[in-house]
């Protein structure tokens, strides 16, 4: 309970060398407390996993790997709720996608109910547990609070025989829900409220998805979890800070149940991110209220959503490593996650041309009906990605913002009289534009200089601006979805009534984008850099060969800097 908090500057050093969990494990191995390392990830199958869970998964898996140990995936399904196969399946898929290999060690805590029952019987026989008839309300009253010690239950001193008979009766369905509970007999005067004779078993006449109606008593988390860990020979049971005060009870359970080499619990701070929603409860509400398009809506930070958006396992691992582990709760800037995906994709992905807000550019002196194929490097920073051929012709699409009739200072793109480079093609000089009756620009005109072809070695003169383009006749049309953070944290994460302060602009759908033809054959999860527009990924749900849909993973620019 009285864990000493490390000064932030000490913690910062530790994350670059050995973090406090590694130091504890090093010590345990050196002192012979354990001769191996075994970790686990224990999700409750009641929702999809999110970026916080990814941290826990990669931390546990990473430690097992580092120490040549093993990593288990265990569903913590001791609560008799309806099976959500959807959640179990999504969790398994997400853990695998992250690369955390649990091999054949996929477990369900509900398979341990028999052993948990035996542990409870053992405690009763040792005089360490008793059946209590107080109501939930009375138990709460008797428990006392931070300032006042608890009061002992009048049922506390029942004999072992009576307790055994009553507990068996509980198991055999003789009692109604809430009529009796089994409590650990520890210390009603303990300064730690968790140690004041906590309830460890309750009566609940409910079907369980795995065990059906076999049981009508179910173990409480604080009793079940340490036993699950011990059964699986977990050495280091890593969990989040809210369980710190429960550690003495964890230790009590594994000690009194007499497990050999009992596991130990180590806590770290939960990962929170700014401007997004972590926490299953909030995510679930957004899904149920139809505010987002399911658990994998790209604005969420569930693992399924990050994958759909175009994040890679590598980028998530980089992020988790950068964040490190800490004993102090804090929020990490969302921009750091974006930094990681940019870093990961930068050299791996082709830089393509896609025009999101198109206006025609007509090259008046380029031969009508002619198309030439120009070789364009896929990634100017990574020549290994080679070149591709891109068609070029008299009529192109360019971004509307790349032309201005009356440009401000330092505008180096198209305006009457100015010359720019069309990326990978020619220099063009703007000659004017066409407008409709309402004054909207419908086409921009220019002339090109054939001498200036890219790769021709032309050095006659320089231009300041380079713009991207696609050939109108060959272009493919597609939809692009642009995202902003779902929560507007500038004004606080929550509104006064406790609801999330949602950003109304979190999704912008851009319907008629024009892209170079190579993108026409892109498939689900393929990702690219679109020059100047950011990194995009083909949507795995809504994109079809006839109607391509791209999600913007992240824009190109970042305010986030990292000191390497
Ligand atoms: P939530 O708070 O989102 O509802 P949870 O803790 O209820 O999540 P579980 O399925 O019970 O979800 O958690 C499985 C594991 O993931 C636990 O070990 C838990 O400590 C860890 N975990 C949950 N949220 C985070 C987080 N934000 N950062 C790091 N680890 C987390
Ligand atoms: Mg939970």
């Amino acid at each position: 309970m009285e864990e000493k908090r490390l000064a932030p500057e000490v913690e910062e050093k530790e994350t670059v060398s050995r973090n406090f969990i590694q130091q504890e494990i090093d010590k345990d191995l050196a002192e012979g407390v354990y001769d191996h390392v075994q970790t686990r990830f224990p999700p409750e199958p009641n929702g999809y996993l999110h970026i916080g869970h990814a941290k826990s998964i990669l931390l546990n898996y990473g430690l097992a790997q580092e120490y040549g140990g093993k990593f288990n995936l265990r569903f913590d399904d001791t609560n008799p709720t309806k099976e959500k196969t959807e959640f179990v399946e999504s969790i398994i898929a997400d853990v695998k996608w992250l690369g955390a290999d649990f091999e054949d060690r996929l477990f369900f805590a509900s398979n341990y109910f028999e052993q948990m029952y035996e542990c409870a019987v053992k405690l009763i026989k040792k005089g360490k547990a008793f059946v209590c008839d107080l109501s939930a309300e009375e138990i709460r009253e008797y428990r006392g609070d931070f300032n006042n010690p608890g009061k002992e239950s009048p049922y506390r001193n029942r004999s072992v025989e009576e307790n055994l008979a009553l507990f068996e009766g509980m198991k055999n369905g003789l009692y109604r829900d809430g009529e009796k509970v089994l409590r650990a007999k520890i210390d009603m005067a303990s300064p730690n409220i968790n140690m004041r004779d906590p309830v460890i078993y309750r009566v609940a006449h409910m079907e369980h998805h795995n065990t059906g109606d076999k049981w009508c008593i179910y173990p409480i988390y604080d009793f079940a979890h340490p036993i699950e860990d011990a059964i699986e020979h977990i050495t280091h049971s890593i969990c989040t800070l809210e369980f710190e005060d429960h550690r003495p009870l964890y230790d009590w359970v594994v000690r009194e149940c007499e497990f050999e080499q009992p596991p130990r619990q180590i806590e770290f701070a939960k990962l929170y991110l700014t401007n997004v929603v972590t926490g299953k409860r909030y995510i679930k509400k957004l899904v149920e209220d139809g505010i987002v398009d399911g658990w994998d809506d790209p604005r969420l930070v569930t693992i399924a959503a990050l994958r759909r958006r175009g994040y890679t396992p590598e980028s998530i691992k980089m992020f988790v490593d950068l964040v490190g582990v800490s004993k102090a709760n804090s929020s990490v800037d969302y921009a750091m996650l974006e930094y990681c995906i940019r870093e990961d994709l930068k050299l791996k992905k082709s830089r393509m041309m896609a025009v999101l807000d198109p206006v025609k550019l007509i090259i008046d002196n380029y031969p009508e009906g002619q198309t030439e194929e120009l070789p364009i490097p896929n990634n100017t920073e990574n020549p290994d990605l080679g070149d591709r051929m891109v068609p070029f012709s008299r009529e192109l699409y360019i971004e509307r913002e790349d032309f201005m009739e009356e440009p401000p200072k330092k505008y180096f793109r198209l305006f009457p009289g100015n010359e720019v480079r069309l990326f990978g093609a020619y220099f063009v000089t703007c000659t004017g534009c066409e407008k409709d009756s309402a004054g909207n620009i419908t086409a921009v005109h220019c002339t090109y200089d054939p001498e200036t072809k890219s790769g021709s070695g032309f050095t006659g003169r320089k231009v300041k601006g380079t713009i991207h383009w696609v050939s109108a006749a060959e272009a493919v049309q597609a939809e692009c979805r642009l995202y902003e953070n779902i929560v507007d944290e500038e004004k606080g994460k929550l509104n006064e009534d406790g609801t999330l302060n949602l950003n109304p602009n979190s999704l912008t759908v851009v319907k008629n984008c024009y892209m170079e033809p190579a993108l026409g054959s892109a498939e689900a999860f393929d990702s690219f850099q679109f020059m100047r527009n950011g990194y995009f990924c083909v949507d795995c749900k809504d994109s079809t060969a006839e109607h391509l849909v791209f999600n913007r993973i992240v824009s190109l620019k970042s305010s986030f800097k990292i000191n390497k």
Side-chain angles (χ1 to χ4, degrees):
M1 213 178 150
E2 291 299 305
E3 189 73 20
K4 259 200 8 233
R5 293 274 149 86
L6 298 168
E9 62 276 15
V10 177
E11 268 178 19
E12 224 165 72
K13 273 204 203 100
E14 282 176 356
T15 56
V16 292
S17 51
R18 306 286 292 158
N19 66 48
F20 72 93
I21 298 179
Q22 292 165 322
Q23 290 180 17
E24 288 296 314
I25 298 178
D26 289 346
K27 202 163 111 235
D28 286 342
L29 293 174
E31 291 172 359
V33 180
Y34 301 109
D35 55 8
H36 68 289
V37 170
Q38 179 128 12
T39 59
R40 87 287 175 260
F41 175 66
E44 208 180 319
N46 61 355
Y48 277 57
L49 300 180
H50 54 63
I51 184 80
H53 296 116
K55 173 166 180 174
S56 176
I57 293 163
L58 293 171
L59 173 63
N60 278 291
Y61 176 65
L63 288 169
Q65 263 197 321
E66 180 186 342
Y67 291 96
K70 288 176 179 156
F71 164 79
N72 296 359
L73 173 59
R74 178 205 314 144
F75 285 98
D76 207 332
D77 60 348
T78 51
N79 263 333
T81 44
K82 250 184 80 206
E83 179 177 23
K84 294 261 172 45
T85 322
E86 181 195 356
F87 296 144
V88 170
E89 283 171 1
S90 76
I91 290 171
I92 293 174
D94 289 348
V95 173
K96 284 188 177 166
W97 181 73
L98 283 172
D101 189 2
F102 49 86
E103 298 172 353
D104 57 353
R105 290 178 305 281
L106 167 64
F107 301 114
F108 289 83
S110 56
N111 287 335
Y112 308 144
F113 280 156
E114 196 66 53
Q115 283 132 296
M116 291 175 191
Y117 180 77
E118 282 159 19
C119 284
V121 169
K122 180 178 214 142
L123 292 182
I124 294 174
K125 286 184 176 159
K126 289 171 77 175
K128 300 280 183 175
F130 64 99
V131 173
C132 183
D133 299 2
L134 292 180
S135 67
E137 180 63 22
E138 287 165 327
I139 289 177
R140 208 171 308 124
E141 274 168 30
Y142 275 59
R143 192 183 292 138
D145 55 31
F146 190 72
N147 299 312
N148 301 294
K151 206 164 71 178
E152 292 189 352
S153 160
Y155 305 99
R156 197 174 200 262
N157 296 316
R158 278 174 163 156
S159 69
V160 168
E161 291 68 35
E162 192 185 359
N163 280 319
L164 282 174
L166 290 171
F167 187 51
E168 200 174 350
M170 281 170 64
K171 181 182 114 172
N172 291 338
L174 302 189
Y175 308 110
R176 281 171 285 113
D177 291 7
E179 199 177 336
K180 288 191 182 349
V181 291
L182 184 72
R183 298 175 67 176
K185 195 181 202 175
I186 310 180
D187 178 8
M188 288 309 287
S190 171
N192 184 338
I193 293 175
N194 296 301
M195 300 298 273
R196 295 183 188 170
D197 293 4
V199 173
I200 56 177
Y201 257 97
R202 65 191 170 114
V203 177
H205 291 271
M206 282 170 83
E207 286 256 327
H208 187 282
H209 73 88
N210 181 24
T211 55
D213 58 4
K214 175 155 193 260
W215 297 92
C216 62
I217 53 171
Y218 291 95
I220 299 298
Y221 180 89
D222 277 346
F223 177 66
H225 201 81
I227 295 176
E228 295 159 23
D229 285 340
I231 288 172
E232 292 178 14
H233 304 292
I234 299 302
T235 53
H236 298 86
S237 175
I238 294 161
C239 67
T240 43
L241 275 189
E242 69 272 24
F243 291 103
E244 195 170 19
D245 291 349
H246 297 238
R247 191 187 335 129
L249 179 53
Y250 184 102
D251 291 341
W252 185 92
V253 170
V254 290
R255 187 175 66 244
E256 294 300 341
C257 294
E258 298 172 26
F259 285 102
E260 275 172 40
Q261 274 212 342
R264 64 172 288 208
Q265 175 180 303
I266 301 178
E267 310 85 15
F268 72 102
K270 273 195 174 181
L271 169 66
Y272 296 101
L273 268 184
T274 60
N275 296 301
V276 291
V277 189
T278 46
K280 241 181 270 170
R281 200 162 53 90
Y282 284 117
I283 297 176
K284 197 173 194 151
K285 181 130 176 49
L286 291 175
V287 174
E288 283 169 358
D289 292 353
I291 291 168
V292 294
D293 163 34
W295 285 91
D296 61 353
D297 184 299
R299 290 166 292 176
L300 297 175
V301 285
T302 58
I303 298 175
L306 291 166
R307 178 170 56 231
R308 181 173 171 196
R309 177 100 172 238
Y311 275 84
T312 57
E314 292 80 8
S315 64
I316 294 174
K317 175 149 194 335
M318 189 194 305
F319 173 68
V320 164
D321 288 345
L322 267 179
V323 172
V325 292
S326 144
K327 271 264 177 201
N329 278 320
S330 65
S331 267
V332 175
D333 195 337
Y334 182 80
M336 192 155 149
L337 184 60
E338 296 190 315
Y339 165 85
C340 294
I341 187 65
R342 277 192 204 99
E343 282 295 298
D344 186 41
L345 299 182
K346 196 166 69 182
L347 299 179
K348 288 186 191 164
K349 298 296 170 182
S350 292
R351 300 179 180 179
M352 313 291 280
M353 294 193 284
V355 175
L356 269 53
D357 183 14
V359 67
K360 269 225 172 124
L361 177 71
I362 300 168
I363 309 169
D364 291 305
N365 62 339
Y366 193 88
E368 229 161 307
Q370 177 177 313
T371 301
E372 59 182 311
E373 298 278 333
L374 301 175
I376 292 198
N378 283 323
N379 188 320
T380 44
E381 285 180 67
N382 181 6
D384 289 350
L385 293 190
D387 291 349
R388 67 183 182 285
M389 301 307 284
V390 181
F392 181 85
S393 64
R394 187 171 188 269
E395 293 200 6
L396 312 173
Y397 286 109
I398 60 167
E399 299 286 351
R400 196 164 276 279
E401 63 166 32
D402 286 349
F403 168 77
M404 280 183 112
E405 242 185 325
E406 287 166 26
K409 272 201 176 124
K410 297 203 173 161
Y411 183 85
F412 300 122
R413 289 172 256 167
L414 288 170
F415 56 88
N418 193 43
E419 188 172 47
V420 303
R421 179 200 305 276
L422 293 176
F423 182 78
Y426 300 94
F427 287 8
V428 291
T429 303
C430 183
T431 53
C433 66
E434 288 173 48
K435 290 181 188 171
D436 63 15
S437 54
N440 301 310
I441 295 164
T442 51
V444 178
H445 286 265
C446 66
T447 55
Y448 86 118
D449 178 354
E451 300 293 307
T452 59
K453 188 170 180 174
S454 256
S456 68
F458 174 79
T459 52
R461 59 187 184 277
K462 288 202 155 82
V463 288
K464 281 196 167 143
T466 300
I467 64 176
H468 63 277
W469 49 272
V470 296
S471 175
E474 290 84 6
V476 289
Q477 275 201 42
E479 173 180 326
C480 285
R481 298 177 180 170
L482 310 181
Y483 302 102
E484 285 181 19
N485 287 138
I486 192 155
V487 173
D488 185 358
E489 207 155 305
E490 294 261 296
K491 297 187 224 108
K493 200 156 195 156
L494 298 179
N495 297 315
E496 271 176 16
D497 62 358
T499 56
L500 284 165
N501 183 17
L502 296 171
N503 172 6
N505 303 318
S506 59
L507 169 65
T508 305
V509 178
V510 188
K511 287 275 184 201
N512 297 311
C513 307
Y514 287 100
M515 309 191 169
E516 55 175 282
L519 288 165
S521 53
E523 289 174 7
F525 296 113
D526 285 351
S527 58
F528 308 90
Q529 184 187 122
F530 290 171
M531 286 177 64
R532 291 195 11 235
N533 283 315
Y535 290 96
F536 287 74
C537 178
V538 179
D539 189 75
C540 60
K541 248 186 175 172
D542 300 337
S543 189
T544 62
E546 293 72 41
H547 181 76
L548 276 170
V549 178
F550 286 88
N551 296 318
R552 178 149 73 185
I553 312 168
V554 66
S555 62
L556 295 181
K557 289 205 189 79
S558 166
S559 52
F560 187 77
K561 292 262 170 355
I562 210 117
N563 299 320
K564 277 203 199 152

